[in-house]
Amino acid sequence: MIQKSRTWQKVLSKMELQVSAVFFDLWISTLQFIEFKNFDKVVLLASSQTAKTQILKNHISQLETCVEQAFGMGVTVEILDPEEMSEYVTKNNDNPKLQQIQDSIINGENKNPFNPKYIFDNFVVGKCNQFVYAAARAVAEHPGKRFNPLFIYGGVGLGKTHLLHAIGNYIHRNNSDLQIMYVTCEKFTNDYISSLRNGNSESLTSEFREKYRNLDILMIDDIQFISNKTSTQEEFFHTFNDLYQNNKQIIISSDRPPKEISTLEERLSSRFTSGLIQDIQAPDFETKVAILQKKAQLEGYSVDDDVVNFIAEKITSNIRELEGLLGKVYFFATLIGQKTATIETAREAFKEDLDDKKEKIKPEDIVSATCEYFNISDAEIKGKKKSRECVEPRMIAIYLIGELLGIPLISIGKVFNRDHTTIIHARDKITEQLKTDSRLKTIISDIKSKLNF
Ligand code: ADP
Ligand code: MG
């Protein structure tokens, strides 16, 4: 059996060179070798029916060739989905090992607990996250040796959980002997509380400690929730110190830096000096676009480029929200039978959200957000000064009022004490410049974020 699964490892290595990294990670690497039936058929289990369909549709001939090269000429491939696996076990009850395999699959042994989509290859690297990405990769490649502990912090939806899973997926694939555990702070707390409940304090701790201290890598996601749980904190410090002293890797994520979680800082600050505290920042316009394009590719959404730009410009830095919007546009497009979602569909999909926002925002809000962004006064933006420091913000504010609120030119003119030709000129100039100027795009997108648009 072991011999055969080694041969299967060879197939995997060959396949890795032949298909895209994303396809390999999502579908091929999750195949499980079941048996080498009658020495002429390799039976494999796909992680889901979708996985099976994807492989049959796209890369079955490469898989067959690789299997023949590794197992011998004329050997065929059979892929089962999880449902077919049960039938297969019943039909082939001559092989008692199959039942064992089936049981171990059901019990989740050896199963990769990490989200297969959250891998390094799917993580778009930009200025906002390049350091944290590099640190996460270094830790995945050399657990316990580089940055220990690694503390990642940043706002909601910026990719912290994605990176933790990417580390997990990497280690599961390349270093599967290592014991690795990912828990949310909530799960850690619940485990601790339930072990307290189930027994006397001796057995509690031994069971709980066995689970958390025999690890090579411990990842705790969203540690900020620990701040008001005194006894869980106490246990966490013991776990932390125990692992740390044994050179085991600890990775922590949080929505704020350690110094804002006072108890953590007090107890662990000396440990942090040997580790790395790295923030993950909000993505700029280009990174948002690249992330959305990656997402569209992964999900098989077909959308026009300007749809992606439109979404990247519109909303906040929370990437989960951006992804949700992309999904919404695509869903709208499929509803009306469109193969590729267009900008018109995107506008239609967001109409209600936008109408809501339009009602809440006033021209003066846009003026003050722009002043704040450029650090100039209300008098300067509305005044007559022709210096670049005033003219650019003025034109941008005019453009934004027109674009976001769609109010008549004359009304915009009143805000700035100017006639409508000046307004048209400003609007057209910015519209034209936006086609090529990515700096300007970023500015516009940042001001819109300020306004929650
Ligand atoms: P957090 O844990 O920081 O709240 P998540 O890791 O859950 O955020 O990320 C939210 C979503 O955004 C996920 O679907 C994730 O895959 C995606 N995402 C975040 N950053 C990136 C990135 N740099 N490249 C690709 N996808 C990203
Ligand atoms: Mg998270």
Side-chain angles (χ1 to χ4, degrees):
M1 181 71 194
I2 289 185
Q3 202 54 41
K4 292 297 168 307
S5 47
R6 276 210 197 116
T7 318
W8 171 242
Q9 287 300 328
K10 275 192 208 154
V11 175
L12 286 179
S13 316
K14 285 175 194 285
M15 281 302 283
E16 194 168 9
L17 303 174
Q18 303 198 17
V19 303
S20 73
V22 173
F23 194 94
F24 183 84
D25 282 315
L26 275 184
W27 313 122
I28 304 285
S29 73
T30 54
L31 280 172
Q32 294 202 38
F33 176 82
I34 301 297
E35 65 169 341
F36 189 22
K37 176 105 180 135
N38 302 330
F39 299 99
D40 66 5
K41 185 163 71 177
V42 167
V43 182
L44 303 169
L45 171 66
S47 56
S48 64
Q49 209 186 351
T50 319
K52 175 176 171 173
T53 316
Q54 283 291 336
I55 296 168
L56 291 181
K57 205 167 92 193
N58 297 295
H59 291 299
I60 187 65
S61 62
Q62 284 99 323
L63 184 61
E64 282 168 346
T65 313
C66 293
V67 164
E68 276 201 323
Q69 285 168 356
F71 284 83
M73 284 308 285
V75 173
T76 57
V77 177
E78 179 173 1
I79 304 180
L80 308 169
D81 65 33
E83 219 168 276
E84 292 163 339
M85 174 71 187
S86 311
E87 286 167 32
Y88 186 84
V89 174
T90 325
K91 258 198 246 147
N92 294 271
N93 55 7
D94 52 321
N95 180 352
K97 284 220 172 108
L98 280 181
Q99 189 60 51
Q100 263 177 2
I101 298 175
Q102 162 95 340
D103 291 346
S104 77
I105 291 167
I106 291 171
N107 294 333
E109 287 164 26
N110 235 342
K111 195 169 161 266
N112 180 357
F114 300 103
N115 184 333
K117 291 188 184 176
Y118 290 174
I119 53 175
F120 285 122
D121 280 335
N122 293 348
F123 192 83
V124 173
V125 183
K127 267 199 219 108
C128 54
N129 57 25
Q130 56 186 352
F131 294 111
V132 78
Y133 174 84
R137 269 214 93 107
V139 163
E141 285 164 17
H142 310 279
K145 303 217 164 56
R146 285 289 158 88
F147 306 114
N148 198 19
L150 173 63
F151 190 104
I152 299 176
Y153 73 92
V156 178
L158 298 186
K160 301 181 295 295
T161 299
H162 186 136
L163 279 177
L164 297 196
H165 279 251
I167 296 173
N169 275 311
Y170 184 96
I171 292 174
H172 189 82
R173 201 165 117 208
N174 296 292
N175 225 338
S176 57
D177 296 340
L178 295 180
Q179 291 294 319
I180 176 164
M181 182 165 354
Y182 163 93
V183 277
T184 56
C185 182
E186 197 188 357
K187 169 97 170 62
F188 184 86
T189 309
N190 289 344
D191 270 7
Y192 180 63
I193 293 173
S194 74
S195 72
L196 280 180
R197 231 182 257 135
N198 299 335
N200 59 43
S201 64
E202 284 292 298
S203 69
L204 114 83
T205 18
S206 62
E207 192 190 313
F208 181 86
R209 287 180 185 163
E210 180 138 356
K211 180 167 171 188
Y212 281 96
R213 297 195 191 178
N214 287 327
L215 294 170
D216 297 298
I217 297 125
L218 173 63
M219 303 198 255
I220 301 197
D221 206 355
D222 288 323
I223 194 98
Q224 69 273 9
F225 295 120
I226 211 168
S227 57
N228 50 5
K229 304 186 179 88
T230 324
S231 61
T232 310
Q233 273 183 27
E234 201 55 39
E235 191 56 38
F236 171 70
F237 296 130
H238 292 311
T239 309
F240 183 100
N241 285 328
D242 198 74
L243 291 171
Y244 183 84
Q245 271 150 14
N246 290 302
N247 290 324
K248 307 300 188 188
Q249 178 74 48
I250 300 151
I251 306 161
I252 300 171
S253 93
S254 165
D255 69 350
R256 64 200 78 162
K259 65 173 186 298
E260 288 175 28
I261 313 175
S262 54
T263 41
L264 197 73
E265 173 70 2
E266 282 157 26
R267 299 287 296 262
L268 296 181
S269 60
S270 63
R271 304 298 194 203
F272 284 134
T273 51
S274 65
L276 180 71
I277 301 173
Q278 185 61 56
D279 68 334
I280 184 165
Q281 287 171 0
D284 55 24
F285 177 76
E286 271 82 16
T287 313
K288 285 197 220 171
V289 168
I291 292 173
L292 287 167
Q293 279 165 344
K294 183 98 203 174
K295 177 78 180 174
Q297 178 207 344
L298 280 176
E299 300 292 331
Y301 297 161
S302 172
V303 294
D304 278 344
D305 282 350
D306 44 359
V307 171
V308 167
N309 292 341
F310 179 74
I311 297 174
E313 263 170 27
K314 284 270 171 278
I315 308 285
T316 67
S317 52
N318 181 335
I319 297 164
R320 194 173 304 114
E321 253 179 63
L322 292 173
E323 290 179 345
L325 293 170
L326 181 70
K328 185 169 176 185
V329 175
Y330 188 70
F331 175 70
F332 254 67
T334 51
L335 275 186
I336 56 170
Q338 223 171 34
K339 284 219 173 66
T340 300
T342 61
I343 185 77
E344 288 74 30
T345 315
R347 291 218 165 89
E348 194 56 35
F350 299 149
K351 213 161 135 230
E352 276 175 30
D353 301 350
L354 290 178
D355 283 349
D356 272 3
K357 285 191 173 142
K358 268 185 208 167
E359 277 172 22
K360 286 192 203 118
I361 292 184
K362 306 264 167 304
E364 285 300 340
D365 299 330
I366 297 177
V367 173
S368 32
T370 312
C371 286
E372 205 179 291
Y373 183 88
F374 287 102
N375 201 12
I376 62 173
S377 69
D378 191 68
E380 283 170 317
I381 204 169
K382 291 180 183 164
K384 300 283 172 215
K385 271 197 206 157
K386 292 238 165 30
S387 63
R388 187 158 189 251
E389 288 71 36
C390 296
V391 172
E392 189 180 38
R394 194 176 297 141
M395 292 208 292
I396 288 176
I398 291 173
Y399 166 86
L400 278 171
I401 296 176
E403 206 228 21
L404 300 180
L405 308 185
I407 60 174
L409 296 171
I410 297 186
S411 314
I412 306 178
K414 279 193 191 137
V415 177
F416 293 89
N417 252 328
R418 283 167 164 82
D419 65 16
H420 74 282
T421 51
T422 317
I423 304 299
I424 292 175
H425 171 74
R427 182 195 65 189
D428 292 351
K429 179 128 197 248
I430 297 287
T431 310
E432 197 49 40
Q433 213 175 319
L434 268 178
K435 289 184 185 152
T436 52
D437 185 344
S438 62
R439 184 193 66 99
L440 185 63
K441 276 187 199 161
T442 308
I443 295 175
I444 301 266
S445 144
D446 288 349
I447 299 175
K448 281 184 188 171
S449 305
K450 266 182 187 292
L451 293 158
N452 277 332
F453 230 97

